[in-house]
Amino acid sequence: MDIEANGTHTCSVMAEDVVDMNFVLDHYIDFKTGDRVNVFGRDYFLNLPVEPTKISTMEYRYSMQFEAEFYDLSRVKFRGLDELNFCTVPKFTIMGDANTIIDLVLLNMARLGPGWTKGSVADTDTFLFQFDKENCLN
């Protein structure tokens, strides 16, 4: 059986970076969240469950979207530090620069697991930031 497949890569600066894939297979595959595909040398991850459409007894149509790794930032609640330096405070105000906020994002992302590191961050002015039930991507 020939595989009928197509896909698109949608990417815009500071917005979205996804790969949509559509194809038909002659057998069922149980794709899981966390599965990945490498496109243009970058990994994209399946973050939502996939249920294929059964076309016939021997054909399954798959339609799925893989997201860039930075989408993990949206799954982690952005919390301020409590008196014990744990990220537990959902509504908070903090005075800082870009480095301060990035450091706090990294502390929050550590709750999801290891692997997030800080690259180079431009020097910025110090501002008063207010957060209320945000996620790390916001």
Side-chain angles (χ1 to χ4, degrees), residues 108-128:
N108 277 274
M109 290 306 294
R111 297 189 341 250
L112 181 64
W116 290 87
T117 59
K118 180 167 63 172
S120 61
V121 179
D123 289 331
T124 63
D125 292 332
T126 300
F127 293 99
L128 181 64

Side-chain angles (χ1 to χ4, degrees), residues 28 49-53 61-63:
Y28 175 83
V50 173
E51 189 59 42
T53 302
R61 181 178 309 280
Y62 290 85
S63 180

Side-chain angles (χ1 to χ4, degrees), residues 79 81 85 87 102-112:
R79 300 292 188 239
L81 297 174
N85 283 333
C87 298
I102 295 297
D103 287 342
L104 189 53
V105 168
L106 291 174
L107 282 172
N108 277 274
M109 290 306 294
R111 297 189 341 250
L112 181 64

Side-chain angles (χ1 to χ4, degrees), residues 1 12 14 16 19 27 34 44 51 67 79 83 119-120:
M1 170 181 213
S12 55
M14 301 288 291
E16 71 180 321
V19 172
H27 58 283
Y44 291 82
E51 189 59 42
E67 299 172 330
R79 300 292 188 239
E83 61 278 351
S120 61

Side-chain angles (χ1 to χ4, degrees), residues 6-105:
N6 64 58
T8 59
H9 176 231
T10 306
C11 184
S12 55
V13 177
M14 301 288 291
E16 71 180 321
D17 190 1
V18 297
V19 172
D20 291 297
M21 298 181 76
N22 301 290
F23 52 90
V24 175
L25 294 177
D26 63 356
H27 58 283
Y28 175 83
I29 294 180
D30 185 20
F31 289 100
K32 304 277 189 202
T33 57
D35 286 347
R36 75 180 69 197
V37 63
N38 188 283
V39 178
F40 307 124
R42 293 187 52 213
D43 287 335
Y44 291 82
F45 300 87
L46 189 61
N47 289 327
L48 296 172
V50 173
E51 189 59 42
T53 302
K54 190 171 184 177
I55 300 169
S56 70
T57 57
M58 297 190 58
E59 287 186 312
Y60 296 86
R61 181 178 309 280
Y62 290 85
S63 180
M64 58 184 85
Q65 185 173 79
F66 292 84
E67 299 172 330
E69 187 172 23
F70 75 82
Y71 281 80
D72 284 349
L73 291 164
S74 68
R75 295 196 327 234
V76 176
K77 303 283 186 202
F78 189 57
R79 300 292 188 239
L81 297 174
D82 62 19
E83 61 278 351
L84 298 175
N85 283 333
F86 292 110
C87 298
T88 62
V89 182
K91 184 176 183 178
F92 64 99
T93 302
I94 185 171
M95 179 71 86
D97 61 4
N99 270 299
T100 303
I101 302 304
I102 295 297
D103 287 342
L104 189 53
V105 168

